[in-house]
């Protein structure tokens, strides 16, 4: 029934506007509103009304026809600026989107590499971390999300964006400017939201291998399954590279040797008025190098970082409204070893543990020209590290927020 409704709508567009079926489909997907049972609704809501099987068939048909430009319009639904799904044209907050196609064309290996060439973004290479500065503000004031959930593991105030490999990323959303009213004081500079891939076909398999100079090897692959209302996708990657030295006359090395392993799963259940998303991810990165201090002492340095995250996000449609819940758990461990050669006087070992538990609820209701959003969020964060005077600490934060999007003139 959903596909029949789509066919009828496309036939009407082709007849009325005298355009090709492909152009009609692109217009339908990107249009702000379409007519559904005599009622105007956002186009992306109409896609959801078609049902997951019909949408899966539609996307598969588009990919088989190599309609890349048409598929890109599917990514014009953004979630970061208002904490809810909006078309980019309707979002009250300007949101920049880096699509999957742009990521692949860039040849980037990590999120840090992707953003390095993005206009208006300045890369900040901190000690042990690659962050970004937006609008002149340091990375400390930038909030980094993965599928809308907060991340842990700041090093000198910076979330290391080189931790996130691109094989599991569908798109990256960027909101510039203060978003503290919705996300808290962490988002004074803006928000970067990393959206991971979802399975779209009954069966999809992909694999990539790259090899380059300095022993660089990148292996990644993914398997996706869709059965009825259920879909799941597994992604894994292994990456390694040798260190390099721009000053061979010294013992110390310039670039680190590294080994990185990452695995992730994204699953979804969508049936009727209910949708549940669940994600789990693990990353292990081992970096090695050689340092030398001012007195000539030489150190073998090793930095082992491990991260784990899991989240679940159920959503229920209630007439013209929706109710969403989210729960997430993140764990970060950073082991840093500095081993002095021929002595142990200056040896150092630091073991940092950080964990974050996040719970939230949000309700949206459309009332005429108004879209009301209210929500609550609670965070518990704990940290243990030799860098803390007490050795360990924790904090509990809670917040309430409300938002009214008022459409003064309908387009």
């Amino acid at each position: 029934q959903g596909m029949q409704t789509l066919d009828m709508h496309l036939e009407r567009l082709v007849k009325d506007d005298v355009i090709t079926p492909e152009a009609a489909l692109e217009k339908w997907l990107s249009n702000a509103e379409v007519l559904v049972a005599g009622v105007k609704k956002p186009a992306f809501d109409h896609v959801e009304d078609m049902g997951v099987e019909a949408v899966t068939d539609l996307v598969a048909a588009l990919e088989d026809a190599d309609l890349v430009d048409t598929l890109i319009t599917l990514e014009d639904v953004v979630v970061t600026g208002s904490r809810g799904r909006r078309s980019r044209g309707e979002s009250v907050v300007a949101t920049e989107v880096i699509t999957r196609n742009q990521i692949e064309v860039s040849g980037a290996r990590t999120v840090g590499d992707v953003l390095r060439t993005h206009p208006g973004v300045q890369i900040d290479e901190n000690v042990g971390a690659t962050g970004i500065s937006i609008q002149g503000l340091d990375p400390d004031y930038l909030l980094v999300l993965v599928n809308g959930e907060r991340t842990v593991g700041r090093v000198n105030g910076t979330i290391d964006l080189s931790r996130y490999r691109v094989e599991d990323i569908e798109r990256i959303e960027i909101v510039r400017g203060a978003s503290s009213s919705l996300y808290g004081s962490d988002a004074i500079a803006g928000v970067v939201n990393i959206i991971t891939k979802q399975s779209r076909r009954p069966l999809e398999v992909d694999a990539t291998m790259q090899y380059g100079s300095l022993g660089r090897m990148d292996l990644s692959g993914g398997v996706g399954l869709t059965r009825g209302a259920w879909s799941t996708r597994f992604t894994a990657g292994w990456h390694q590279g040798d260190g390099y030295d721009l000053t061979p006359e010294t013992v110390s090395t310039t670039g680190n040797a590294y080994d990185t392993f990452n695995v992730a799963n994204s699953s979804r259940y969508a049936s009727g008025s209910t949708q549940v998303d669940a994600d789990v991810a693990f990353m292990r990165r081992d970096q090695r190098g050689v340092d030398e201090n001012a007195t000539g002492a030489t150190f073998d340095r090793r930095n082992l970082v491990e991260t784990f995250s899991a989240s679940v996000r159920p959503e229920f449609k209630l007439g013209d409204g929706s109710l969403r819940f989210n729960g997430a758990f993140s764990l970060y461990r950073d082991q840093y070893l500095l081993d002095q050669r021929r002595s142990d006087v200056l040896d150092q070992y630091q073991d940092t543990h950080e964990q974050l538990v996040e719970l939230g609820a949000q309700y949206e209701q459309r009332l005429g020209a108004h879209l009301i959003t209210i929500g609550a969020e609670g965070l518990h964060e704990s940290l243990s590290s030799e860098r803390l005077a007490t050795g360990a600490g924790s904090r509990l934060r809670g917040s309430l927020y409300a938002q009214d999007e008022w459409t003064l003139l309908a387009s």
Side-chain angles (χ1 to χ4, degrees):
Q1 182 179 0
M3 293 301 291
Q4 292 175 353
T5 303
L6 173 62
D7 291 340
M8 292 173 60
H9 186 75
L10 294 182
E11 288 175 4
R12 186 165 64 252
L13 281 175
V14 172
K15 180 179 179 181
D16 294 345
D17 295 344
V18 194
I19 57 179
T20 65
E22 292 82 6
L25 180 58
E26 182 172 356
K27 181 177 180 179
W28 178 77
L29 288 170
S30 60
N31 212 9
E33 291 181 329
V34 294
L35 197 65
V36 181
V39 179
K40 282 188 175 182
K41 300 183 67 176
F44 56 88
D45 280 353
H46 185 41
V47 171
E48 293 173 354
D49 293 341
M50 291 165 55
V52 65
E53 293 183 0
V55 173
T56 300
D57 293 341
L58 169 63
V59 173
L62 292 175
E63 291 179 338
D64 290 340
D66 198 25
L67 300 177
V68 177
D69 292 336
T70 302
L71 276 176
I72 290 176
T73 62
L74 284 170
E75 300 168 343
D76 281 346
V77 178
V78 295
V79 297
T80 308
S82 55
R83 297 190 76 149
R85 286 193 296 272
R86 307 284 189 273
S87 67
R88 290 179 67 182
E90 291 182 333
S91 178
V92 297
V93 178
T95 304
E96 303 171 32
V97 178
I98 303 175
T99 67
R100 179 64 195 177
N101 184 59
Q102 292 171 314
I103 293 173
E104 292 178 348
V105 169
S106 71
R109 291 179 168 88
T110 68
V111 171
D113 295 337
V114 174
L115 297 177
R116 191 180 299 274
T117 58
H118 192 70
V121 173
Q122 180 180 348
I123 292 295
D124 192 319
E125 297 285 359
N126 208 330
V127 178
T130 300
I132 62 171
S133 297
I134 295 179
Q135 297 183 332
L137 293 173
D138 292 337
D140 310 50
Y141 304 104
L142 179 74
L143 179 62
V144 178
L145 307 173
V146 177
N147 293 324
E149 307 293 350
R150 296 169 184 265
T151 58
V152 293
R154 288 186 179 270
V155 177
N156 296 319
T158 301
I159 292 291
D160 185 7
L161 296 176
S162 67
R163 286 174 11 203
Y164 303 101
R165 312 297 300 197
V166 299
E167 55 257 26
D168 190 39
I169 297 175
E170 181 66 30
R171 68 182 188 274
I172 302 171
E173 297 182 5
I174 303 172
V175 174
R176 301 174 188 264
S179 301
S180 53
S181 59
L182 289 178
Y183 291 102
S185 59
D186 297 344
I188 293 177
V191 181
V192 172
N193 192 6
I194 303 168
I195 310 296
T196 59
K197 288 183 178 180
Q198 293 284 345
S199 177
R200 289 177 173 174
R201 296 188 177 196
L203 175 63
E204 54 185 36
V205 180
D206 60 80
T208 303
M209 182 181 73
Q210 295 181 343
Y211 181 79
S213 59
L214 300 175
R216 282 191 173 183
M217 173 77 75
D218 294 288
L219 299 174
S220 63
V223 177
L225 298 170
T226 300
R227 295 291 184 270
W230 294 90
S231 64
T232 188
R233 178 179 174 83
F234 293 89
T235 305
W238 177 66
H239 315 270
Q240 77 163 21
D242 297 335
Y244 61 91
D245 191 0
L246 300 180
T247 55
E249 66 275 9
T250 64
V251 179
S252 61
T253 56
T254 305
N256 295 324
Y258 65 88
D259 285 285
T260 302
F261 171 75
N262 56 279
V263 61
N265 172 259
S266 295
S267 299
R268 170 174 292 174
Y269 171 81
S271 178
S273 60
T274 302
Q275 177 174 304
V276 180
D277 290 296
D279 304 297
V280 61
F282 172 78
M283 187 278 298
R284 182 184 187 275
R285 184 178 65 183
D286 189 1
Q287 297 184 102
R288 300 169 302 280
V290 180
D291 293 337
E292 189 176 17
N293 68 10
T295 63
T298 303
F299 303 86
D300 292 308
R301 172 176 37 81
R302 184 180 181 187
N303 185 205
L304 178 61
V305 174
E306 297 168 293
T307 65
F308 172 82
S309 62
S311 65
V312 60
R313 301 178 299 280
E315 178 179 352
F316 309 94
K317 287 191 174 182
L318 307 171
D320 289 332
S322 65
L323 178 62
R324 300 189 188 100
F325 298 95
N326 69 287
F329 172 77
S330 299
L331 182 64
Y332 172 86
R333 186 182 185 188
D334 184 345
Q335 299 179 76
Y336 180 83
L337 173 64
L338 207 59
D339 184 13
Q340 183 181 6
R341 294 181 179 177
R342 297 183 297 275
S343 177
D344 58 2
V345 176
L346 300 178
D347 286 358
Q348 293 183 35
Y349 175 72
Q350 296 178 0
D351 190 0
T352 300
H353 293 256
E354 183 179 359
Q355 69 177 35
L356 175 68
V357 178
E358 179 179 1
L359 297 173
Q362 178 175 299
Y363 179 71
E364 288 186 351
Q365 179 66 51
R366 184 170 291 279
L367 299 173
H370 296 266
L371 180 58
I372 309 297
T373 303
I374 58 174
E377 184 179 53
L379 304 169
H380 181 267
E381 186 175 5
S382 61
L383 174 68
S384 64
S385 173
E386 289 82 355
R387 292 175 291 177
L388 296 178
T390 60
S394 65
R395 64 176 177 174
L396 180 65
R397 293 186 290 170
S399 62
L400 299 173
Y401 58 89
Q403 177 177 264
D404 179 16
E405 298 176 48
W406 183 10
T407 305
L408 296 177
L409 295 175
S411 59

